Amino acid sequence: ERNPDQTQRLYFECLKISPIHITVSFSTASLCMDNSKLSNNPKGLNAQLLYALAFAEFEGVPVLLSKFELNHPLLDRDTLQSLLSQHYVRALLREGVKILGSANVLGDPLGLVH
């Protein structure tokens, strides 16, 4: 009989998730058409961010989320989920600079460099 306080642990000889390639596109054209969506949002920083994004758009930005690898882990499901979440949140934050740099708010900021 298993004690209900004990959590089941998982063991993997090697857990590998290959790098994930995503192409991100974002447009606020439909949001700009419907002003009621803008007025229903809270004031302050969220509203300022929403108004800034109302003019932002980017298309086809390649995003690469790095591989995830664990060798011989013995952990419970919650810990595994936490490790995966932390890994991919950090990867998205690293790639966020690339996404923001591709935003076409006042023209093409990366186009100036090329």
Side-chain angles (χ1 to χ4, degrees), residues 88-110:
Y88 287 112
V89 164
R90 277 190 293 245
L92 279 171
L93 289 174
R94 281 190 302 268
E95 292 292 307
V97 173
K98 184 190 302 183
I99 294 170
L100 290 176
S102 299
N104 188 1
V105 179
L106 298 172
D108 182 8
L110 290 183

Side-chain angles (χ1 to χ4, degrees), residues 7-10 74-83:
T7 58
Q8 183 178 6
R9 294 188 174 247
L10 305 170
L74 178 62
L75 36 77
D76 59 56
R77 185 183 304 175
D78 291 339
T79 304
L80 177 59
Q81 183 178 359
S82 176
L83 289 171

Side-chain angles (χ1 to χ4, degrees), residues 21-84:
H21 299 268
I22 302 171
T23 302
V24 179
S25 297
F26 178 77
S27 176
T28 56
S30 64
L31 181 61
C32 291
M33 297 295 183
D34 186 3
N35 289 335
S36 66
K37 289 182 182 176
L38 292 175
S39 62
N40 290 336
N41 284 293
K43 303 236 183 266
L45 184 59
N46 288 340
Q48 291 173 356
L49 180 60
L50 183 60
Y51 285 118
L53 287 177
F55 301 104
E57 62 180 50
F58 46 87
E59 186 172 341
V61 179
V63 174
L64 174 64
L65 303 179
S66 58
K67 70 178 181 177
F68 179 83
E69 187 172 338
L70 290 174
N71 292 307
H72 302 286
L74 178 62
L75 36 77
D76 59 56
R77 185 183 304 175
D78 291 339
T79 304
L80 177 59
Q81 183 178 359
S82 176
L83 289 171
L84 284 166

Side-chain angles (χ1 to χ4, degrees), residues 1-20:
E1 222 176 282
R2 201 168 136 215
N3 183 348
D5 292 336
Q6 286 182 325
T7 58
Q8 183 178 6
R9 294 188 174 247
L10 305 170
Y11 173 77
F12 301 94
E13 184 174 336
C14 183
L15 174 62
K16 289 184 181 182
I17 300 175
S18 296
I20 299 172

